[in-house]
Amino acid sequence: MTLKLNKLITKSINLVFFTGAGISTDSGIPDFRGPKGVWKTSTPIYFQEFISSKEKRMESWEKKFSNELSIDHAAPNKGHINIAEIMKKKDKSHLITQNVDNLHQNSGVQEEQITELHGNATYASCLDCNKRYELEDLKQNFLKSHEPPSCVECNGIIKTATVSFGQAMPKKEMQLSQKKAIQSDLFICVGTSLTVFPAADLPVLAKETGAKFIIINNESTALDHLADLVINRDISEVLSEIKL
């Protein structure tokens, strides 16, 4: 199977990787929907709750600064590094990710090659004026004041730069992802259950517009029946076997 995958990647011009939480579990970051996933052990705070309730904002920041998702000290694993190495050799390649951990960037993928559908948890921003805030500064102020942070520029609500439950998907990123899916000749899904929509529509769009559709995941997914190739093995091992 990896021989076929190797040939498809070698031949591809407009390669797109589409990654989910499964690629980051080897970095110590739990997935969201598995048996031990975050949503099985912790109730998510919805966007409207965060906006309307100071108590919910306090709860959200307390979770964040307790490093609930184990993101703060996580490092890229072999899967991230292998994707970065492949993309360096495929200059028209692009990566769409549902992850918020910044590990693809840390592995060497350039910012202009990445579209983050669910934002980024390694910094925060004001919901009103979009001013960026670094988390360490917010943490120190939070520990001193015991108040949820507000913007120094406009007094707006500050939130981690992620898309929460109940929050609209970013329009610009969705449009770019759809464009990249349509342009792709090979669309490879890595470490995603393909159950979260509208993101899971992207591989279907790629397939319908002529791309080969590949799934690399430890378990079966909701879209296996549409794929040209499904590989249910360790992600890092599969990607390490690609030789360009």
Side-chain angles (χ1 to χ4, degrees):
M1 285 189 179
T2 51
L3 181 60
K4 180 178 179 180
L5 176 61
N6 205 120
K7 289 180 179 178
L8 287 169
I9 292 176
T10 301
K11 183 180 177 182
S12 173
I13 302 298
N14 294 305
L15 166 64
V16 173
F17 282 105
F18 178 63
T19 64
I23 197 170
S24 293
T25 54
D26 282 352
S27 295
I29 299 174
D31 64 13
F32 290 84
R33 292 169 178 81
K36 297 181 181 179
V38 172
W39 304 144
K40 294 288 194 301
T41 59
S42 177
T43 303
I45 295 172
Y46 281 74
F47 182 66
Q48 289 303 324
E49 293 179 314
F50 184 89
I51 296 298
S52 61
S53 169
K54 178 181 177 181
E55 288 73 23
K56 288 296 183 182
R57 291 198 292 279
M58 284 291 293
E59 180 184 344
S60 176
W61 284 109
E62 286 169 354
K63 286 182 177 181
K64 177 61 183 174
F65 293 138
S66 69
N67 194 24
E68 181 184 65
L69 297 183
S70 306
I71 286 176
D72 295 355
H73 304 295
N77 61 55
K78 290 180 180 179
H80 297 106
I81 293 168
N82 289 331
I83 284 179
E85 290 175 349
I86 292 169
M87 292 183 68
K88 285 177 184 176
K89 297 175 182 178
K90 311 293 289 187
D91 59 2
K92 292 186 179 181
S93 60
H94 195 78
L95 187 148
I96 303 167
T97 186
Q98 297 169 285
N99 297 343
V100 297
D101 50 36
N102 209 69
L103 293 182
H104 284 300
Q105 291 93 325
N106 293 345
S107 71
V109 181
Q110 299 301 305
E111 286 283 356
E112 61 270 19
Q113 289 181 288
I114 298 178
T115 300
E116 294 175 311
L117 290 180
H118 296 158
N120 192 304
T122 63
Y123 65 94
S125 60
C126 173
L127 292 174
D128 290 334
C129 72
N130 295 318
K131 179 178 173 62
R132 175 170 170 149
Y133 288 87
E134 301 308 319
L135 293 178
E136 188 56 36
D137 295 335
L138 294 178
K139 181 177 181 179
Q140 296 306 318
N141 290 331
F142 181 78
L143 293 176
K144 290 177 183 177
S145 68
H146 301 289
E147 292 284 334
S150 57
C151 181
V152 296
E153 298 289 343
C154 70
N155 203 40
I157 292 173
I158 296 174
K159 179 182 172 296
T160 53
T162 56
V163 177
S164 300
F165 277 89
Q167 187 175 2
M169 293 286 284
K171 186 175 181 180
K172 176 183 175 183
E173 283 77 5
M174 277 303 300
Q175 289 177 339
L176 179 58
S177 296
Q178 290 166 348
K179 178 181 177 181
K180 292 295 183 180
I182 291 170
Q183 292 175 340
S184 69
D185 54 19
L186 180 61
F187 196 97
I188 305 177
C189 295
V190 183
T192 172
S193 61
L194 297 172
T195 57
V196 180
F197 293 87
D201 285 324
L202 293 170
V204 179
L205 179 61
K207 173 78 172 178
E208 289 177 343
T209 51
K212 293 290 186 181
F213 170 29
I214 312 299
I215 297 174
I216 306 170
N217 200 49
N218 285 331
E219 300 175 344
S220 61
T221 79
L223 297 182
D224 283 4
H225 63 289
L226 294 178
D228 296 285
L229 178 65
V230 177
I231 302 177
N232 293 139
R233 285 177 50 206
D234 180 84
I235 292 167
S236 295
E237 286 183 5
V238 172
L239 293 173
S240 69
E241 293 170 9
I242 303 303
K243 307 298 180 185
L244 301 182

